Amino acid sequence: RRLHLDIMDGHFVPNITIGPVVIKSIRRITGLYLQTHLMIEKPERYIKDFKDAGSDCIIIHKEATSNFISTIKKIKKMGIDAGVALRPKTPVGTVKRFVRDMDMILVMTVEPGFGGQAFLEGTEKKVAEIKALLKKNNVSIPIGVDGGVNVKTASLVASHGATHLIAGNAVFKGNVIKNIKSLYN
């Protein structure tokens, strides 16, 4: 089990959320694996802050940094996992040559920035494409899906190869325990 934490700066995406101080507070009360998704410009500036706050994994967008592989190496050098997130319009080929450097690939099935968006039809094909790419390169890492995940879309993306599903509204709207159980079925 993981806790997925969305970090937004109001520049890379049009919304603002939490920062390292909140991650540090969350770390104090849980031993769960903290997966921090940086939807921020120049994420390399904040890697150490999020690592020091307790993140176990930092996921970045290739288009958010001027030197993607250097930023990934910086994350890994700090002893934590590194991942890449792909927006719906970001082609899988963008990270093709970096798959061996990743600890996770996160497929965005909505445009990042706001919760509660509807799943974009067809993005499940990107999950299958990533699964094939990983198999071809003999790489075994999680394939996450983030955006519009609910009871209906969970089985769809899982059938295409997703191994980690990130759900927000499907969990927190209504009875949280009941909603989580529904997603597992």
Side-chain angles (χ1 to χ4, degrees):
R1 300 195 195 269
R2 298 173 179 220
L3 189 56
H4 182 88
L5 306 162
D6 283 336
I7 313 302
M8 302 180 221
D9 65 0
H11 297 283
F12 185 71
V13 295
N15 201 358
I16 299 172
T17 58
I18 62 176
V21 70
V22 176
I23 305 291
K24 191 173 187 175
S25 295
I26 293 169
R27 173 49 68 213
R28 281 191 212 119
I29 61 169
T30 186
L32 287 174
Y33 182 94
L34 299 183
Q35 177 174 294
T36 306
H37 177 192
L38 300 183
M39 292 175 270
I40 63 176
E41 289 182 355
K42 300 180 183 174
E44 59 275 10
R45 297 179 297 175
Y46 301 101
I47 302 299
K48 184 176 181 335
D49 295 331
F50 284 104
K51 191 267 186 205
D52 290 350
S55 296
D56 297 300
C57 175
I58 295 178
I59 301 167
I60 64 170
H61 289 259
K62 187 172 184 295
E63 51 272 77
T65 181
S66 59
N67 194 331
F68 176 72
I69 198 61
S70 173
T71 303
I72 291 298
K73 286 180 180 179
K74 181 177 181 179
I75 294 167
K76 293 175 83 76
K77 192 173 184 177
M78 290 184 185
I80 59 176
D81 292 338
V84 61
L86 302 176
R87 290 175 159 185
K89 293 178 182 167
T90 304
V92 171
T94 305
V95 295
K96 188 176 182 179
R97 64 180 210 200
F98 305 114
V99 294
R100 293 187 188 280
D101 299 306
M102 298 295 111
D103 296 301
M104 175 181 212
I105 296 178
L106 181 66
V107 177
M108 299 296 302
T109 49
V110 299
E111 275 303 324
F114 293 95
Q117 296 181 64
F119 181 88
L120 292 173
E121 242 180 82
T123 53
E124 70 278 0
K125 293 174 186 165
K126 185 180 281 187
V127 175
E129 192 178 344
I130 289 169
K131 182 179 178 182
L133 175 67
L134 295 177
K135 185 175 182 177
K136 179 181 177 185
N137 286 280
N138 199 29
V139 173
S140 180
I141 60 172
I143 302 170
V145 170
D146 187 2
V149 173
N150 56 39
V151 173
K152 180 182 171 189
T153 59
S155 59
L156 174 66
V157 295
S159 72
H160 281 76
T163 60
H164 291 67
L165 308 181
I166 292 87
N169 282 333
V171 170
F172 294 108
K173 275 193 171 181
N175 183 317
V176 173
I177 302 298
K178 184 179 174 186
N179 292 342
I180 291 172
K181 287 180 182 177
S182 297
L183 286 168
Y184 276 102
N185 293 330

